[in-house]
């Protein structure tokens, strides 16, 4: 079946459902020949505000799943053999760091993608004062 040049609402829903399930966009589009090409989907997301919002929400949920995977990865028991345990710790660290980096790239502003939700924002005033050497 030839790929179409447009993305229907049904197709966009199928794409976003796949993203929420943790499947990459490339795999979703490759697995189902009735879906448009990667380039067509990206163009549609850029040009259509509703599609962009739906895509961003699906990616935000996908990030939450990745966070859960990181927690599960870290909490798994280690092998009894010390050498195997050390190797497993190194492997898990690499995998967790890669997933964490991806999470921060996909969702820099939090689940709702709003600046006011950022955890690293601080408010308040800091006052620094120096005493003169003569008065100290």
């Amino acid at each position: 079946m030839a790929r179409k040049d447009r993305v229907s609402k049904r197709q966009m829903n199928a794409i976003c459902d796949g993203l929420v399930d943790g499947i990459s966009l490339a795999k979703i589009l490759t697995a189902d020949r009735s879906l448009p090409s990667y380039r067509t989907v990206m163009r549609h997301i850029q040009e259509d505000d509703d599609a962009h919002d739906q895509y961003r929400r699906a990616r935000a949920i996908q990030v939450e799943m990745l966070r859960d995977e990181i927690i599960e990865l870290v909490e798994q028991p280690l092998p009894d053999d010390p050498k195997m345990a050390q190797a497993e710790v190194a492997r898990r660290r690499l995998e967790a760091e890669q997933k964490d980096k991806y999470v921060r790239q996909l969702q820099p502003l939090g689940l709702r993608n709003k600046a006011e939700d950022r955890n690293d924002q601080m408010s308040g005033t800091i006052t620094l004062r120096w005493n003169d050497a003569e008065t100290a």
Side-chain angles (χ1 to χ4, degrees):
M1 177 180 235
R3 292 191 177 243
K4 299 179 181 178
D5 289 336
R6 295 186 175 238
V7 181
S8 69
K9 289 222 181 258
R10 182 194 60 77
Q11 290 172 324
M12 196 65 202
N13 289 340
I15 291 166
C16 289
D17 287 344
L19 291 172
V20 166
D21 290 338
I23 305 168
S24 73
L25 181 59
K27 284 184 181 178
I28 293 167
L29 298 176
T30 303
D32 188 346
R33 296 291 300 162
S34 69
L35 295 176
S37 70
Y38 190 91
R39 183 178 292 174
T40 300
V41 171
M42 288 289 103
R43 188 177 309 120
H44 178 70
I45 291 167
Q46 287 177 330
E47 294 171 355
D48 186 293
D49 289 339
D50 291 336
H52 180 264
D53 289 341
Q54 184 178 4
Y55 178 80
R56 292 302 304 153
R57 285 192 306 272
R59 286 292 192 181
I61 294 169
Q62 184 183 46
V63 165
E64 292 303 312
M65 290 182 63
L66 284 170
R67 285 187 175 133
D68 288 343
E69 287 177 18
I70 292 170
I71 292 168
E72 289 173 10
L73 179 68
V74 172
E75 291 178 344
Q76 290 177 0
L78 292 171
D80 292 330
D81 179 15
K83 286 185 179 182
M84 292 298 292
Q86 188 176 19
E88 181 63 13
V89 166
R91 185 197 69 77
R92 289 182 194 181
R93 180 178 291 133
L94 182 64
E95 185 177 343
E97 287 174 356
Q98 182 273 333
K99 286 182 179 185
D100 183 58
K101 180 180 178 183
Y102 189 58
V103 163
R104 287 183 275 121
Q105 289 173 340
L106 278 178
Q107 201 178 63
L109 299 178
L111 180 60
R112 296 186 322 147
N113 200 28
K114 297 189 178 193
E116 64 264 22
D117 291 344
R118 287 186 74 154
N119 292 333
D120 62 345
Q121 291 182 343
M122 298 180 72
S123 61
T125 303
I126 297 175
T127 305
L128 300 174
R129 293 190 183 137
W130 286 267
N131 291 334
D132 290 341
E134 296 173 11
T135 60

